[in-house]
Amino acid sequence: MRRIPASAARPALAAFTFLPLLLITGPAMAQEDCPHGDLDSIYCDNNGDLVADRPQDESEWANPETLIFAYTPVEDPAIYSDIWQPFIEHMEDVTGRDVRFFAVQSNSAQVEAMRSGRLHVAGFSTGPTPFAVNLAGAVPFALMGSDDGRFGYTLQLYTHVDSGIDEVTDLKGKRVAHTSPTSNSGNQAPRALFPDLGIVPGEDYEVLYSGSHDQSMLGVVAQDYDAAPVASEVVERMADRGLYDPDDVKILYESDPFPTTSYTYAHNLAPELVEKIEEAFFTFDFAGTELGEEFDGVEKFIPINYQDNWKVIRTIQTANGVEYTPDNLQ
């Protein structure tokens, strides 16, 4: 298969016009005669697995010659267009389709793209995954993990080493950077977990949205923020690339592990194509690739399902009163 240069991958999607989610009708009109659960009314969940069913009418199945793949916009997408290239080439070989990398700029743009049929395969970060499932018909099927089946990341709360802050309760009256409203480790989990530690985000300290985990961390290093809850996997990669000096910060708190980025396909893809997409993920060898170097400790993609593996995330979001609507997706 021919290689699609990273420089060509970004302009390929530049012409996409993203409409507000509220104006997109999606692949079908509302289906009032089937169970939906939390899913948008254009989707059905007859088997109760919490994700959208494939349309019963085969004429509604999508079987594109060019597959569009997007990775979560947690960090600079320009970096990842090159890092993902070995996997893209592998997916081309397995599926027999052209595959193009879509450098998304926001969670909402990524969800819009899949809902409107312009995005076929995507990695959604932990917190936005339920929005992708319920608003865009995304079907999570894989996570990055190790050969023994382990996966996950933690919420880490950082402050500057010279901040004078030594305990979580010392954050009272401070300015703390959260990433975005839908982020799990960057916002939802802190709001659900921190009260038990004696601090209530938004009440005991001022919440400032930085826009991303890397911006939160760099803000702590620069002492623009007093502290920041971030995803461990992100700050580890930042340190590996020399984007900050770990000696400049210290950890105040670390949570139990959460699931990482979910890899999903659009619910209306033809079943034969889905089989090939899954085969591409589960046969990819990380060893010796830029992707393997970037995600240290990751050795393969692990099969998962949304109903079981995102239960803890749904619990956190329920505790925060999250509703899966376009207005709440940022």
Side-chain angles (χ1 to χ4, degrees), residues 17-267:
T17 300
F18 294 118
L19 301 175
L21 276 169
L22 289 173
L23 300 181
I24 296 175
T25 58
M29 298 303 291
Q31 303 181 65
E32 302 299 339
D33 58 345
C34 66
H36 307 297
D38 288 333
L39 298 173
D40 188 276
S41 61
I42 63 175
Y43 307 116
C44 292
D45 181 19
N46 287 300
N47 62 4
D49 65 355
L50 307 185
V51 299
D53 300 337
R54 181 178 291 110
Q56 294 182 354
D57 186 347
E58 293 188 20
S59 67
E60 296 182 19
W61 295 354
N63 199 11
E65 288 301 317
T66 297
L67 292 173
I68 306 303
F69 170 76
Y71 179 60
T72 172
V74 170
E75 298 175 87
D76 183 1
I79 296 174
Y80 285 91
S81 61
D82 291 326
I83 289 173
W84 277 98
Q85 193 59 39
F87 174 79
I88 288 174
E89 292 174 359
H90 176 70
M91 186 153 63
E92 287 184 324
D93 290 338
V94 174
T95 63
R97 314 293 171 97
D98 284 338
V99 180
R100 299 187 183 182
F101 184 89
F102 174 20
V104 293
Q105 301 298 324
S106 68
N107 294 316
S108 59
Q110 190 178 21
V111 170
E112 288 171 22
M114 182 166 283
R115 180 179 171 99
S116 62
R118 295 181 170 97
L119 178 61
H120 309 117
V121 185
F124 288 98
S125 57
T126 304
T129 287
F131 286 85
V133 167
N134 290 294
L135 295 177
V139 180
F141 68 94
L143 289 176
M144 288 182 179
S146 61
D147 282 336
D148 61 6
R150 289 181 294 108
F151 60 84
Y153 72 100
T154 62
L155 178 169
Q156 294 178 333
L157 178 62
Y158 281 91
T159 188
H160 195 276
V161 69
D162 296 326
S163 67
I165 298 171
D166 299 311
E167 305 288 343
V168 174
T169 51
D170 292 340
L171 294 179
K172 291 183 179 180
K174 303 298 185 180
R175 302 168 74 251
V176 178
H178 287 206
T179 59
S180 65
T182 58
S183 173
N184 178 61
S185 56
N187 184 60
Q188 294 292 334
R191 290 184 183 275
L193 301 177
F194 284 6
D196 287 343
L197 302 176
I199 201 82
V200 179
E203 295 181 16
D204 293 326
Y205 66 70
E206 181 183 2
V207 172
L208 302 170
Y209 289 114
S210 69
S212 67
H213 293 265
D214 52 333
Q215 290 301 318
S216 287
M217 197 63 182
L218 293 175
V220 168
V221 172
Q223 300 188 66
D224 294 330
Y225 307 122
D226 295 304
V230 290
S232 60
E233 58 177 357
V234 176
V235 296
E236 288 167 4
R237 294 198 298 270
M238 291 177 65
D240 289 342
R241 293 201 300 270
L243 298 181
Y244 77 96
D245 185 346
D247 291 337
D248 288 338
V249 297
K250 60 183 178 181
I251 297 179
L252 299 174
Y253 166 80
E254 185 170 18
S255 74
D256 292 332
F258 302 121
T260 56
T261 296
S262 67
Y263 294 90
T264 72
Y265 58 80
H267 81 293

Side-chain angles (χ1 to χ4, degrees), residues 285-308:
D285 185 1
F286 280 81
T289 68
E290 289 184 75
L291 198 60
E293 293 175 1
E294 177 68 12
F295 294 91
D296 187 39
V298 168
E299 294 160 310
K300 65 180 183 180
F301 287 102
I302 298 172
I304 54 92
N305 69 78
Y306 174 73
Q307 187 171 24
D308 295 333

